[in-house]
Amino acid sequence: MRTTRQKSKAQMEESSTGHANPQVQIPEEEPQESAGESAMVVTVNGAAAAVEITVRIAKARLHCPVCTLPLKPPVFQCAFGHLACGVCHVTSSSGGGGAGRCSVCGDGGGGYARSTAMEDIVRSAKVLCPHDAYGCRTYVTYYDAAEHQRACPHAPCLCSEPGCGFAGTPAALRDHLAGAHSWPVDRIRYGAALRLRVPELDPAQHRRLLAAGDDEGGQVFFLAVRAIRDRPFRVVSLVCARPGAAAGCPRYACTIRAAQQPSDAAAAAGEVSAESVVLEMAPVPSSAAPGETSIEEAASLVVLRRTLPAGAAAAGEMHLTVRIDRIV
């Protein structure tokens, strides 16, 4: 373990009050220790005060040597200092002929015992969220980093265009898809209806971005109109472009209305007027890769369409009305 010995007076005063955040760098390899380096203790008014410092710890030191997963309390240790997480300790103690033996050295004399010192270390090891480049400034306990990363509202969204590896915030993805891939972008206001006309034979118009103004949070929604082989209907779907509905994030409701053409049987019976079909969904599902979201995962509406004749000179249009509301 490497400790930083020099601190400014202001840093020491901040640390002694407990307001500074700990910073732990976790390299993949074991760091080299310099001779003469030691832990630092500062005396304030005659009493030893804990000081938060930046340290470097080899990543392997924070992982169970048996299952290789991050260590978290309870942590156990054999008589020779080999560690085991709680799950591996239970597995060892409930096994067959080797019950209670260390999984590393095979010692079974004293078995495992709780290592409160190591538990204090793994509780204190905090790392900056891996999504700090996208705006998250949260420090989390190392063994909780993966769980935080999955739920982090700052996780990037991914471009679904083949061969494109772009990743960024929803707003950055909006600008990327519009600029690099020429996706249409329609501005929306929450609670207001947006009327769209989607050409039947123009696939470039079948994927659209609905972007709220910056004054309304700048959220981006992905609207897709999909054909299912040669079936006489279209599937309209909507998904919120963001990593997931993390705790504290806004939720949205949507209403999609579409004009549905009558079936051939209804048309033969004289029913020629179009009917409306409506989808109402709350909350709107979220996706970090909105272009790859399946129909089952998105808010979807099935709209009956007549089969267009091959080589039609004029493309038909699908008329949609979309309303998105922000809910708490």
Side-chain angles (χ1 to χ4, degrees):
M1 180 176 291
R2 182 179 180 183
T3 62
T4 304
R5 302 186 61 190
Q6 296 184 350
K7 275 179 168 278
S8 67
K9 180 179 179 181
Q11 288 175 313
M12 291 182 180
E13 290 176 350
E14 180 183 29
S15 298
S16 64
T17 60
H19 294 304
N21 289 327
Q23 302 178 34
V24 179
Q25 301 177 23
I26 303 180
E28 296 291 339
E29 303 295 336
E30 180 75 28
Q32 299 294 323
E33 295 190 14
S34 301
E37 289 191 340
S38 59
M40 178 174 61
V41 177
V42 176
T43 301
V44 179
N45 296 330
V51 178
E52 294 178 345
I53 56 178
T54 300
V55 300
R56 290 176 61 86
I57 303 175
K59 187 176 180 180
R61 299 288 188 181
L62 298 176
H63 285 245
C64 172
V66 183
C67 67
T68 70
L69 295 176
L71 286 168
K72 59 182 177 180
V75 179
F76 296 86
Q77 181 177 343
C78 80
F80 292 94
H82 298 124
L83 301 173
C85 67
V87 174
C88 292
H89 167 256
V90 171
T91 302
S92 172
S93 300
S94 60
R101 293 184 177 274
C102 173
S103 301
V104 178
C105 66
D107 174 62
Y112 284 112
R114 285 285 294 271
S115 177
T116 55
M118 191 62 191
E119 290 176 1
D120 288 341
I121 291 175
V122 298
R123 286 194 187 98
S124 301
K126 296 183 182 294
V127 294
L128 186 61
C129 172
H131 299 313
D132 64 299
Y134 304 104
C136 186
R137 299 293 181 264
T138 304
Y139 277 88
V140 294
T141 307
Y142 177 67
Y143 57 75
D144 284 333
E147 182 177 352
H148 169 83
Q149 185 176 359
R150 286 190 294 269
C152 179
H154 295 277
C157 292
L158 309 177
C159 177
S160 57
E161 290 288 348
C164 183
F166 177 86
T169 63
L173 178 65
R174 173 200 63 204
D175 296 340
H176 168 78
L177 290 173
H181 303 296
S182 301
W183 282 31
V185 179
D186 297 285
R187 295 289 175 176
I188 63 170
R189 293 193 66 85
Y190 298 131
L194 173 68
R195 290 177 173 81
L196 298 173
R197 292 185 177 184
V198 182
E200 289 278 5
L201 299 182
D202 186 359
Q205 299 291 321
H206 292 175
R207 297 182 302 178
R208 311 173 71 95
L209 297 172
L210 309 183
D214 292 337
D215 58 332
E216 295 189 87
Q219 189 58 64
V220 181
F221 301 87
F222 177 88
L223 178 74
V225 179
R226 313 182 193 190
I228 308 298
R229 299 184 180 89
D230 57 350
R231 302 292 180 85
F233 58 80
R234 301 290 183 266
V235 178
V236 183
S237 61
L238 182 77
V239 66
C240 180
R242 64 179 178 183
C249 289
R251 296 188 302 157
Y252 304 93
C254 74
T255 301
I256 303 176
R257 182 183 299 273
Q260 175 171 267
Q261 294 182 2
S263 64
D264 292 339
E271 299 176 9
V272 295
S273 60
E275 299 178 355
S276 292
V277 289
V278 180
L279 167 70
E280 295 182 351
M281 176 167 286
V284 174
S286 302
S287 174
E292 298 177 353
T293 305
S294 68
I295 294 175
E296 292 77 12
E297 296 173 321
S300 302
L301 176 68
V302 177
V303 184
L304 183 65
R305 310 296 293 165
R306 286 187 177 177
T307 304
L308 295 173
E317 290 182 334
M318 176 178 291
H319 292 241
L320 300 175
T321 301
V322 181
R323 171 176 166 166
I324 298 177
D325 295 281
R326 181 170 174 167
I327 58 178
V328 178

